Amino acid sequence: RKEVEQDPGPFNVPEGATVAFNCTYSNSASQSFFWYRQDCRKEPKLLMSVYSSGNEDGRFTAQLNRASQYISLLIRDSKLSDSATYLCVELSGGSYIPTFGRGTSLIVHP
Amino acid sequence: SQTIHQWPATLVQPVGSPLSLECTVEGTSNPNLYWYRQAAGRGLQLLFYSVGIGQISSEVPQNLSASRPQDRQFILSSKKLLLSDSGFYLCAWQDRARGYTFGSGTRLTVV
């Protein structure tokens, strides 16, 4: 059974801090990975895809470690508006069914 | 551009009443479509997915059903709601390059 594990948190950080989340996956056949952001009582929205070489989008950096089977999300210079739940997602090659983690809650305080 | 529409946004239904939630996608053809449920404070639970018209796969046994009468329409139904059916229902479609795009969801409260 495929599983994606995340620390539920909450991670409580001050504005301007750097925070990192990890997400471990059990399926060695996983090929595609994504990070989603979900605000309270809203739908999840794609934050970024995770490429094998790692990728960066502004203050956000995503990395993949296939040897240890985890992906990470780094947020630099945290803003109050970054407060949300962050979900990681994996998809195996040829599969239609993604596996979502249960999310990590981030609270950025003044 | 592709968009996904889901309605209604909120719904309060009595136990034993029927349910019909509709999801439509625009700007794409033959999308993979999904219905998820998220209970309060919980993760996403996949209920159904569809890779084409009339093709429905169920992930969990329950009193819900799904149908795909048209290429870009996905419907979630129940004949008789239970209290445990309360939750946040999300429709999604798959773009292989960009992952999954969700509708804005329906918050169902069964009373």
Side-chain angles (χ1 to χ4, degrees):
Chain A
R1 178 167 172 266
K2 297 185 293 182
E3 290 187 352
V4 174
E5 299 289 340
Q6 294 184 253
D7 181 343
F11 285 62
N12 227 305
V13 303
E15 273 186 291
T18 295
V19 61
F21 312 132
N22 280 349
C23 169
T24 60
Y25 61 94
S26 60
N27 183 10
S28 58
S30 298
Q31 288 198 354
S32 302
F33 302 89
F34 308 92
W35 280 104
Y36 278 74
R37 170 194 169 125
Q38 186 174 24
D39 293 296
C40 187
R41 300 179 69 83
K42 297 287 188 181
E43 75 274 22
K45 293 185 179 179
L46 180 66
L47 179 64
M48 58 199 308
S49 303
V50 185
Y51 305 127
S52 296
S53 56
N55 48 308
E56 187 173 312
D57 183 2
R59 298 182 292 109
F60 299 83
T61 300
Q63 292 194 312
L64 167 63
N65 185 317
R66 285 198 181 275
S68 300
Q69 295 192 190
Y70 74 86
I71 63 173
S72 63
L73 177 67
L74 180 77
I75 305 175
R76 291 180 297 277
D77 189 22
S78 298
K79 311 292 185 191
L80 295 176
S81 57
D82 293 335
S83 298
T85 297
Y86 291 84
L87 309 171
C88 68
V89 186
E90 72 86 27
L91 183 66
S92 303
S95 171
Y96 298 116
I97 305 174
T99 302
F100 281 83
R102 293 183 63 174
T104 297
S105 175
L106 171 66
I107 301 171
V108 181
H109 58 82
Chain B
S1 64
Q2 301 92 351
T3 56
I4 181 168
H5 303 279
Q6 192 179 341
W7 65 93
T10 59
L11 198 56
V12 180
Q13 292 284 101
V15 169
S17 64
L19 173 74
S20 181
L21 301 180
E22 188 163 342
C23 171
T24 59
V25 181
E26 295 178 0
T28 185
S29 60
N30 197 29
N32 292 339
L33 297 173
Y34 305 80
W35 277 112
Y36 286 89
R37 177 171 61 200
Q38 189 174 39
R42 304 291 297 275
L44 290 167
Q45 179 188 32
L46 179 62
L47 302 175
F48 301 94
Y49 70 96
S50 171
V51 299
I53 296 175
Q55 300 179 61
I56 308 295
S57 297
S58 174
E59 285 297 297
V60 293
Q62 60 216 328
N63 70 323
L64 299 172
S65 62
S67 62
R68 186 166 175 177
Q70 300 180 46
D71 181 43
R72 289 170 284 180
Q73 184 185 30
F74 204 22
I75 298 172
L76 181 70
S77 304
S78 173
K79 292 182 179 178
K80 289 185 177 182
L81 286 169
L82 306 172
L83 286 174
S84 57
D85 290 325
S86 294
F88 190 37
Y89 287 82
L90 291 156
C91 179
W93 74 279
Q94 181 191 20
D95 177 331
R96 277 280 177 180
R98 292 178 49 78
Y100 299 82
T101 300
F102 289 86
S104 54
T106 296
R107 196 160 298 280
L108 172 66
T109 304
V110 182
V111 296

